[in-house]
Amino acid sequence: MKLNTSKLIFFNVINMSTIISFSVNNWLTMWILMELTLFMFIPLMSKNKINDQSMKYFIIQSFSSYLFMFSMLMNSINETSLDSLLTLISLSMKVGLSPFHLWKPEIMTKLSWKECILLTTLIKITPMILINKIISLKMITLPLIFNLIVGSASGLNQLNLKKMMAFSSVFNLSWMISSFLISKKILLTFLTMYFILNFKIMTLFKENNVIFKNQLLSMNIQFKTKINMLFLSISGLPPLTGFLPKLIILNELMKNSMHISIWMILTSITSIYMYIQMNTFSFTNFFLKKKTNKFFMKKNFTKINLLMFPMMMYIWMN
């Protein structure tokens, strides 16, 4: 994807609509911002011509938008609470929350890594803000638990790395929504760390043209170490960087919902197992190399993964 003028405009509009959505309280304006993001993202997906993936994404997102508009109008006419099941279903389809998540891995498989970064980060922020403003914690507890189970279990035995990143996005969606429901400070902490780790993983895959797990066998030990450290960090394994935001979320969420907290811990074990399984797969050929080979590790993002945790803990405590 060349960064020409039109695509730069599309990307900037997506950024601006996401930033504006943080300060909007009107559901109609939020709906307009979601539609604006949709129409800016489709040209980035389709590149030079309309393809199957852009049509699938457009149909799913349009249907969920119409469903959301219908639920809002019905609740307004009947003078009932906006916190309804139909609203939850429409926003779940929009953001890819289980059991309405199946479109995400299918579409991400055919996208480039740059579009996958957008789809798993900026695109889903506006619908999550709406979920936070409209849906109560009591109503969303069961969907969040179901999403944790599906997201952690579906990633097992996936050979396509784009599908695995899609299911990882589905799993972390529950953590992200929970951080929205707690406080803005915790939300920004989790979003920042998740976006940095996600961006770094997908950028490394793009630079090395890696799509399937078996391609990792041919990579050098430096690349494997980077990827595996980043994966373990995004899964929340202590003492890596991704552990601190999840620890903060668990600490605050236990005061409001013990059920979600317990399921978060249990499913995180499954998620860590998924990434450790990939570690074993990628390092299989390491011991087959001659002992005379020497590998020199340069200073890189992997070191920051270990150093950033105590620094962030110090900043947070003060």
Side-chain angles (χ1 to χ4, degrees), residues 23-55:
S23 58
V24 173
N25 288 321
N26 190 319
W27 65 264
L28 183 60
T29 310
M30 294 288 284
W31 179 79
I32 293 170
L33 289 172
M34 284 195 299
E35 295 307 296
L36 186 62
T37 304
L38 167 64
F39 285 108
M40 292 298 107
F41 185 61
I42 286 177
L44 295 176
M45 292 176 65
S46 55
K47 295 181 176 68
N48 297 323
K49 60 181 181 179
I50 301 297
N51 53 28
D52 293 342
Q53 301 308 310
S54 58
M55 287 304 297

Side-chain angles (χ1 to χ4, degrees), residues 55-90:
M55 287 304 297
K56 286 178 185 177
Y57 183 75
F58 175 73
I59 291 168
I60 292 165
Q61 295 295 312
S62 298
F63 178 74
S64 61
S65 296
Y66 294 144
L67 196 63
F68 174 74
M69 179 65 76
F70 175 76
S71 65
M72 291 290 102
L73 292 175
M74 286 299 295
N75 291 327
S76 300
I77 292 169
N78 297 327
E79 296 183 354
T80 55
S81 173
L82 300 179
D83 184 13
S84 64
L85 181 61
L86 196 60
T87 307
L88 177 61
I89 291 172
S90 64

Side-chain angles (χ1 to χ4, degrees), residues 31-221:
W31 179 79
I32 293 170
L33 289 172
M34 284 195 299
E35 295 307 296
L36 186 62
T37 304
L38 167 64
F39 285 108
M40 292 298 107
F41 185 61
I42 286 177
L44 295 176
M45 292 176 65
S46 55
K47 295 181 176 68
N48 297 323
K49 60 181 181 179
I50 301 297
N51 53 28
D52 293 342
Q53 301 308 310
S54 58
M55 287 304 297
K56 286 178 185 177
Y57 183 75
F58 175 73
I59 291 168
I60 292 165
Q61 295 295 312
S62 298
F63 178 74
S64 61
S65 296
Y66 294 144
L67 196 63
F68 174 74
M69 179 65 76
F70 175 76
S71 65
M72 291 290 102
L73 292 175
M74 286 299 295
N75 291 327
S76 300
I77 292 169
N78 297 327
E79 296 183 354
T80 55
S81 173
L82 300 179
D83 184 13
S84 64
L85 181 61
L86 196 60
T87 307
L88 177 61
I89 291 172
S90 64
L91 292 175
S92 297
M93 288 179 65
K94 175 70 75 173
V95 79
L97 191 71
S98 292
F100 308 102
H101 70 288
L102 295 176
W103 62 268
K104 186 176 279 189
E106 292 300 320
I107 288 176
M108 275 185 65
T109 306
K110 303 293 177 65
L111 297 180
S112 69
W113 283 113
K114 282 186 178 179
E115 286 122 28
C116 289
I117 292 170
L118 279 176
L119 189 60
T120 55
T121 53
L122 292 176
I123 302 294
K124 61 184 182 181
I125 288 180
T126 308
M128 281 193 293
I129 294 173
L130 267 174
I131 291 174
N132 175 37
K133 291 181 180 296
I134 296 174
I135 309 298
S136 63
L137 179 61
K138 184 179 179 182
M139 188 172 187
I140 205 173
T141 298
L142 193 59
L144 286 182
I145 292 172
F146 184 69
N147 188 70
L148 286 166
I149 297 168
V150 172
S152 58
S154 300
L156 297 171
N157 299 323
Q158 287 290 340
L159 297 178
N160 192 308
L161 292 172
K162 288 182 180 178
K163 276 192 175 182
M164 196 178 77
M165 291 305 296
F167 287 119
S168 174
S169 172
V170 170
F171 172 73
N172 283 289
L173 198 59
S174 294
W175 290 88
M176 208 172 289
I177 292 173
S178 301
S179 67
F180 267 90
L181 295 169
I182 296 170
S183 72
K184 289 183 179 179
K185 188 177 180 181
I186 295 173
L187 159 67
L188 292 174
T189 305
F190 183 81
L191 279 181
T192 304
M193 297 317 305
Y194 176 74
F195 285 5
I196 290 172
L197 293 171
N198 219 32
F199 176 78
K200 187 63 180 176
I201 288 170
M202 294 191 186
T203 303
L204 283 172
F205 284 149
K206 177 186 174 297
E207 289 173 352
N208 293 274
N209 197 23
V210 178
I211 298 174
F212 298 97
K213 271 187 182 180
N214 56 1
Q215 290 178 270
L216 295 173
L217 290 172
S218 60
M219 297 296 165
N220 57 36
I221 190 65

Side-chain angles (χ1 to χ4, degrees), residues 221-232:
I221 190 65
Q222 182 178 346
F223 175 81
K224 291 178 184 179
T225 307
K226 277 185 186 179
I227 287 296
N228 288 306
M229 290 291 286
L230 288 166
F231 269 132
L232 291 175

